[in-house]
Amino acid sequence: MSVWDYVIPIVTLIVGAIGGFAGGVFYLRRQMTKMQNDPETIQKMAKQMGYNVNRQQMGKIQQMMKTQAGKGGLPGGGAGKPNKNAKTNTKK
């Protein structure tokens, strides 16, 4: 057995993982962009998650998605400023 029998599969795995990640990010960003412009898609996703949204909520969701896209992040990314309205557990 030569060294290439070990090197080629490892390199292939690394290249495949990087390519898969890049493809996933591209697909997710495209879906989010599409969702910003199509309220029916947002409503469909909300129903799948068990929520019913009205027009006012739909407007807020779209506005939030546009501001997140302007910052370069995806909604729900978790990074950034902490939520001011979040309750903290302060048991003593």
Side-chain angles (χ1 to χ4, degrees), residues 2-34:
S2 75
V3 174
W4 294 110
D5 291 337
Y6 296 104
V7 171
I8 291 175
I10 292 170
V11 170
T12 304
L13 177 70
I14 292 170
V15 170
I18 291 170
F21 180 77
V25 168
F26 174 76
Y27 175 76
L28 184 62
R29 285 190 182 189
R30 195 180 79 203
Q31 288 297 104
M32 291 302 220
T33 304
K34 208 187 290 185

Side-chain angles (χ1 to χ4, degrees), residues 73-88:
L74 295 174
K81 295 180 182 176
N83 187 353
K84 294 178 190 174
N85 299 326
K87 294 182 180 179
T88 57

Side-chain angles (χ1 to χ4, degrees), residues 31-47:
Q31 288 297 104
M32 291 302 220
T33 304
K34 208 187 290 185
M35 209 180 293
Q36 287 177 9
N37 302 325
D38 188 15
E40 290 179 12
T41 309
I42 296 173
Q43 210 160 25
K44 182 180 174 185
M45 184 182 72
K47 281 193 179 191

Side-chain angles (χ1 to χ4, degrees), residues 33-75:
T33 304
K34 208 187 290 185
M35 209 180 293
Q36 287 177 9
N37 302 325
D38 188 15
E40 290 179 12
T41 309
I42 296 173
Q43 210 160 25
K44 182 180 174 185
M45 184 182 72
K47 281 193 179 191
Q48 288 175 345
M49 294 188 326
Y51 294 106
N52 289 323
V53 292
N54 59 29
R55 287 185 190 177
Q56 183 181 13
Q57 291 168 329
M58 185 67 64
K60 285 182 181 180
I61 292 170
Q62 286 180 309
Q63 185 64 35
M64 179 193 70
M65 291 177 79
K66 286 179 183 176
T67 57
Q68 288 293 326
K71 293 178 184 176
L74 295 174

